[in-house]
Amino acid sequence: MTERILLVEDDERLGAQIIEHLRGAGLTPTWLTDGNQALYEDPRPYSLIILDLMLPGAYGLDILKHLRTTCDVPVLILSARNDTHDKVRSLELGADDYVTKPFWPEELLARVQARLRRPSLQRDGLIEIGALRLDVVGRSLEVNGAPVELTPVEFDLLTALAKRPGAAIQRGWLVDNVLDPEREGTERTLDVHVSRLRKKLGAASKQVATVWGVGYRLLTDAPG
Amino acid sequence: MSLRTRLGLTVLLIAVPLLIGLSWVRSELLLRQIETGMRSYVLAHMDDDERTGCEASPESYSGERGRRPQSRRPPAPPPPPGADHLPGEADAPTDDASDANAPDDPETSGRDARPPRDGPEDRAGRRGGRRARPGRGRPGRHRGAEGDRRGRGPGRGGSFAPRPRLFAYSSAFVSFNPDAPEFPASIREELESGEDIATAPGVDPKGQKLFHVGVRLPPLEGGLDDSPCAIVLVSRPDPRAHFELDFLMWGALGLCATMLCAVLLAAGPIVRRIRLLTTEVRAAAADHYATPVGADASDEIGELGRAFNEAGAELRSHIDTLAEREQTLRAFLSNTTHDVMIPLTVLQGHLSALRDSVSADGDASGDFVCDAGRVRSALEESHYIGSLLHNLAAAAKLQAGEASFHLFAVNLGDLVERVAHRHAPIARQSGIELDFAVPEAPATTLADVTLLEQAVSNLVHNAVRYNEDGGHVAVSLETQGDQFILRVIDDGPGIPAADLAHVTKPRFRSDAARTRDPAGQGLGLHIAGDVAARHGFDLRITTREPHGVEATLAGTLCTSAPDAG
């Protein structure tokens, strides 16, 4: 089942392009060219609504207001106006994001997917990412089903990364929040810990990715 | 309505009622005088002797005294009894003649001076009765009094025969004299209500306006109880019937005329000066307020001139400001279009070349050689155009000043994410790794989101643009206490040390700043520097070892403001 996206865009060429990109990303788009149609459309079946503000006939913010009275579906505003006041107003009225033109197709998709991303389910302190399965409470790790023994620091390190899967975490932050404060660890120390952790993860080590100039990231899937 | 007309009308508006009031007051005073005079006359006239005579023969009494020629001539000896014992007519000329020394007044000469037209025997009786009386002097006294009164009075203009006629009535307001007119009702009312004297206007049978005075006489000693002469009515022509212009009125009229002339005369110079000022004002307005109007006088007109000059000066400075702004805007507009034309042309060039390569080698089956590098260049160029347009808008906003900023709590993490996504496609196609890291907890700062995002975007764009395949760019946001630190680092060629110090300084007016020099700073970093300065943030651009740039933007976080991403 793919996500349903509602696009309200009056420009023929731009609208066609956006629809093409959304389809290419595996989403199911519906396209309305008339703002008034949007008022009669039931928003609830959709996972995301992309709304162009500059619509002829209907004032985009009024449609936004209307949508907010009926549902909580995330709304992404498209606008040619790079105006702070417009952005503030849209956000005040309940929009979730504001994309200014011109934009790259990948850019729009990235923003759409960011809104569609579900928070990682952490039922009972269990985090499953790729081949890894962490029990935060029990402080145990399974890699491809097999348990792996980690030192407390290594476990804390992995957990810190796992709690924000896909996001890059700064070295400095990890040093401050993961390493033992009494030990006065440095970034060097951190790198050593990561190196050791990778070794223990074996085949899944690639999930722990280095981010240049930043730190580390836990990938949701092992690359390649 | 012109000023002088208005002044003239105002003077008239004041003068006319004034004159009318004055003449009314005068006539009222005259009336009072007459009233008083007539009352005195009545009271003086109706002495005991007269009353006795009246009571004796009320049916013929009409207020005229008996013929007593002697009494009329105070210094002359009494004439022989027979000579003047004629009916009233014979005496009349004498009467008139004797009054020659009094002012010509047929009415008053007839009044009291003419003996009453009663029977000779009455006259004789009365005469006889009175000759010895010292009352003889009284007529003269009366006359004198009347003469005085006459002299004072306005009677001079009177040319009519009617003289003040006196009739006696009983207390029931009935006269025994058949000639007596009906007692006026209004006077009757007043007398009945307790007054002793009352006056009222009236009209005689000929239609002339009269003035009646009714007097209730005090009871006569030794007189009848129901005296037929209890009330006396005196009538004389109403002097107010004729409007007379005397010296006073002429004087007042003359004064008003003089005032009018004076006012109009005084208004002359004022009106002239106002007209002059008007001309000068019109000239100044046509001249865009370059020439001031005359404002030397110390009075109100001079003040007006000064006020106009001040207003004109202000207007002029305003016009100058607007003209300057318009000039700036025009220059900006022409520069903007100029700046976009070049990359647009380059883009067209790339696309054109691509088309040519497609048509040259390709066919419907898609078997063509596509210059990937050219495609990338085309994409970069269009990316640059988008960036440039946003930058130009940001530059305009910065030039307009802080008043155009719209500050609110900006979520820095979301901002970094947006900027990273913006440049990711271009970075990826160039083989540059672009990544970002933000803290989990929201970090907000007070800023104009559009300007701040453009500043950060410029830093990232610069880092990407001059990097090469295999290079890296990282955007990292950290918080330390109440401070945020946003770093954009790259391992590209870096900025020459000599330029580092100047790289963020605003150089909007310089052509060099707007062109893309090979080192590549251009407009973007200047805007980043200006935005940072206006927001109170600190922007530092340093060299990274072994090569590359580290741009650090630091500022204060919002403590507890609502997140508005």
Side-chain angles (χ1 to χ4, degrees):
Chain A
M1 186 191 73
T2 61
E3 314 271 15
R4 291 193 63 194
I5 315 283
L6 174 64
L7 170 69
V8 186
E9 170 62 60
D10 66 299
D11 188 270
E12 298 280 343
R13 281 185 273 194
L14 181 60
Q17 270 195 351
I18 296 174
I19 295 295
E20 202 183 313
H21 297 139
L22 294 173
R23 277 213 192 98
L27 303 164
T28 310
T30 308
W31 180 15
L32 294 176
T33 55
D34 188 346
N36 291 311
Q37 287 176 301
L39 291 170
Y40 295 111
E41 184 80 8
D42 182 12
R44 284 167 299 176
Y46 298 102
S47 312
L48 178 82
I49 300 170
I50 303 174
L51 174 64
D52 192 317
L53 268 193
M54 301 298 160
L55 295 167
Y59 186 46
L61 289 177
D62 287 335
I63 300 174
L64 175 61
K65 264 189 257 184
H66 171 83
L67 287 171
R68 272 292 159 263
T69 58
T70 53
C71 66
D72 280 334
V73 176
V75 176
L76 193 145
I77 298 287
L78 279 185
S79 178
R81 280 162 56 107
N82 196 12
D83 180 56
T84 309
H85 183 262
D86 275 2
K87 293 176 189 176
V88 174
R89 195 84 191 97
S90 305
L91 294 168
E92 275 175 4
L93 290 173
D96 295 85
D97 206 351
Y98 192 102
V99 178
T100 46
K101 302 169 192 172
F103 54 81
W104 293 108
E106 305 95 307
E107 195 182 340
L108 181 64
L109 273 172
R111 306 276 283 268
V112 164
Q113 272 153 354
R115 291 294 145 191
L116 290 174
R117 205 185 299 141
R118 296 283 185 271
S120 56
L121 289 164
Q122 294 189 1
R123 284 167 297 155
D124 309 322
L126 275 173
I127 305 175
E128 273 191 54
I129 300 174
L132 307 172
R133 194 152 177 246
L134 282 107
D135 182 351
V136 180
V137 177
R139 296 181 70 82
S140 67
L141 169 67
E142 279 182 20
V143 178
N144 290 320
V148 172
E149 196 66 37
L150 296 175
T151 68
V153 174
E154 287 162 0
F155 190 84
D156 288 338
L157 180 55
L158 188 59
T159 309
L161 295 176
K163 279 190 173 160
R164 298 179 66 195
I169 318 282
Q170 288 109 333
R171 271 197 185 82
W173 189 88
L174 289 168
V175 165
D176 291 340
N177 294 282
V178 170
L179 295 187
D180 192 344
E182 283 171 31
R183 293 263 186 94
E184 287 185 20
T186 62
E187 291 187 8
R188 195 94 213 100
T189 325
L190 179 71
D191 289 343
V192 168
H193 281 296
V194 169
S195 167
R196 286 193 198 140
L197 172 65
R198 275 192 180 128
K199 285 203 185 93
K200 290 187 182 177
L201 289 178
S205 67
K206 288 273 167 51
Q207 277 186 248
V208 179
T210 305
V211 180
W212 184 93
V214 174
Y216 299 101
R217 169 196 297 164
L218 188 63
L219 297 171
T220 48
D221 283 302
Chain B
M1 193 186 296
S2 84
L3 202 63
R4 261 195 276 221
T5 316
R6 198 186 286 275
L7 283 170
L9 282 176
T10 309
V11 173
L12 284 175
L13 226 64
I14 294 170
V16 167
L18 207 66
L19 286 171
I20 291 171
L22 200 67
S23 76
W24 179 83
V25 165
R26 214 185 100 255
S27 85
E28 285 299 309
L29 281 174
L30 182 65
L31 201 69
R32 300 284 162 261
Q33 250 180 4
I34 291 168
E35 274 184 27
T36 315
M38 286 175 81
R39 278 160 59 176
S40 314
Y41 165 71
V42 167
L43 290 171
H45 181 79
M46 298 305 293
D47 61 1
D48 292 348
D49 287 344
E50 200 67 19
R51 291 187 68 182
T52 314
C54 170
E55 285 187 1
S57 55
E59 59 282 343
S60 58
Y61 182 75
S62 62
E64 295 166 355
R65 285 191 183 258
R67 288 177 192 274
R68 296 186 297 273
Q70 301 94 320
S71 62
R72 283 175 283 116
R73 292 187 221 138
D84 300 11
H85 292 181
L86 291 171
E89 296 81 27
D91 282 340
T94 335
D95 292 351
D96 291 321
S98 74
D99 278 357
N101 36 343
D104 290 333
D105 186 3
E107 63 168 280
T108 54
S109 60
R111 187 185 0 153
D112 201 359
R114 172 107 54 135
R117 293 181 184 279
D118 41 14
E121 61 278 8
D122 289 349
R123 281 195 223 113
R126 239 179 288 147
R127 225 181 315 128
R130 297 206 186 195
R131 208 180 286 168
R133 290 183 54 175
R136 228 176 269 173
R138 258 187 256 150
R141 228 187 5 257
H142 291 163
R143 196 188 308 160
E146 285 153 30
D148 290 345
R149 202 168 56 244
R150 264 177 262 140
R152 280 196 311 273
R156 198 177 40 217
S159 57
F160 31 78
R163 34 205 163 110
R165 307 208 302 166
L166 195 149
F167 291 101
Y169 296 75
S170 71
S171 45
F173 299 98
V174 173
S175 180
F176 288 84
N177 188 334
D179 287 338
E182 195 180 323
F183 203 87
S186 54
I187 301 180
R188 176 179 179 151
E189 274 172 30
E190 284 194 52
L191 292 179
E192 276 178 342
S193 66
E195 294 291 322
D196 282 337
I197 291 171
T199 61
V203 177
D204 83 346
K206 287 184 208 155
Q208 294 226 330
K209 282 196 180 170
L210 296 176
F211 206 78
H212 301 294
V213 176
V215 184
R216 183 199 306 277
L217 299 171
L220 182 66
E221 266 186 50
L224 304 167
D225 281 337
D226 188 14
S227 170
C229 297
I231 293 164
V232 160
L233 183 74
V234 183
S235 312
R236 60 152 292 166
D238 190 344
R240 299 178 305 165
H242 298 264
F243 180 68
E244 291 157 351
L245 283 177
D246 68 339
F247 177 72
L248 183 68
M249 289 312 291
W250 277 118
L253 214 63
L255 189 71
C256 289
T258 311
M259 255 179 59
L260 186 68
C261 291
V263 163
L264 291 177
L265 206 68
I270 294 175
V271 169
R272 198 169 17 89
R273 281 173 63 205
I274 291 177
R275 285 218 182 99
L276 181 66
L277 189 64
T278 309
T279 315
E280 285 181 353
V281 163
R282 289 227 170 88
D287 196 18
H288 289 293
Y289 306 102
T291 41
V293 302
D296 300 323
S298 59
D299 64 355
E300 285 84 348
I301 294 181
E303 195 61 37
L304 180 65
R306 277 187 289 281
F308 177 79
N309 284 339
E310 276 166 35
E314 174 144 349
L315 212 64
R316 181 148 188 107
S317 85
H318 192 63
I319 290 174
D320 287 340
T321 310
L322 286 176
E324 194 186 309
R325 250 193 244 169
E326 194 194 322
Q327 182 57 31
T328 310
L329 208 65
R330 259 191 237 264
F332 184 80
L333 210 62
S334 78
N335 291 338
T336 306
T337 49
H338 164 267
D339 288 344
V340 174
M341 293 315 171
I342 295 174
L344 204 51
T345 310
V346 172
L347 175 61
Q348 282 178 189
H350 287 315
L351 292 172
S352 176
L354 281 171
R355 178 204 54 203
D356 290 344
S357 68
V358 168
S359 58
D361 306 319
D363 52 38
S365 65
D367 185 21
F368 61 88
V369 175
C370 187
D371 187 345
R374 201 176 275 285
V375 172
R376 276 201 296 275
S377 298
L379 286 162
E380 276 168 14
E381 212 61 40
S382 82
H383 188 72
Y384 177 79
I385 292 169
S387 202
L388 183 62
L389 287 170
H390 281 314
N391 269 328
L392 289 169
K397 199 166 172 178
L398 286 166
Q399 200 158 36
E402 270 87 346
S404 63
F405 292 12
H406 192 130
L407 300 174
F408 70 98
V410 176
N411 184 313
L412 290 164
D414 289 350
L415 185 147
V416 167
E417 196 174 326
R418 284 196 298 267
V419 169
H421 284 139
R422 174 106 194 96
H423 297 283
I426 293 297
R428 193 177 310 122
Q429 78 170 21
S430 302
I432 297 163
E433 196 181 300
L434 170 62
D435 230 314
F436 69 94
V438 299
E440 201 168 5
T444 60
T445 189
L446 196 67
D448 182 301
V449 67
T450 308
L451 287 175
L452 187 60
E453 193 166 323
Q454 195 55 40
V456 175
S457 178
N458 289 342
L459 297 174
V460 175
H461 194 184
N462 262 60
V464 169
R465 217 155 105 217
Y466 301 104
N467 215 327
E468 286 150 5
D469 195 359
H472 302 86
V473 177
V475 187
S476 171
L477 175 69
E478 288 170 294
T479 57
Q480 280 174 23
D482 69 340
Q483 295 290 302
F484 72 85
I485 298 164
L486 198 156
R487 281 198 196 86
V488 180
I489 53 179
D490 67 74
D491 55 4
I495 297 168
D499 294 342
L500 262 179
H502 315 294
V503 94
T504 56
K505 288 212 179 90
R507 291 187 293 171
F508 295 131
R509 295 185 196 285
S510 141
D511 287 326
R514 286 196 343 270
T515 58
R516 298 178 292 162
D517 58 81
Q521 275 67 50
L523 190 58
L525 286 180
H526 298 150
I527 285 176
D530 204 10
V531 167
R534 302 281 192 98
H535 283 83
F537 300 154
D538 183 62
L539 176 64
R540 257 168 249 221
I541 301 185
T542 53
T543 301
R544 211 168 172 275
E545 297 303 328
H547 55 85
V549 173
E550 173 162 336
T552 311
L553 183 71
T556 315
L557 293 165
C558 288
T559 39
S560 55
D563 175 14

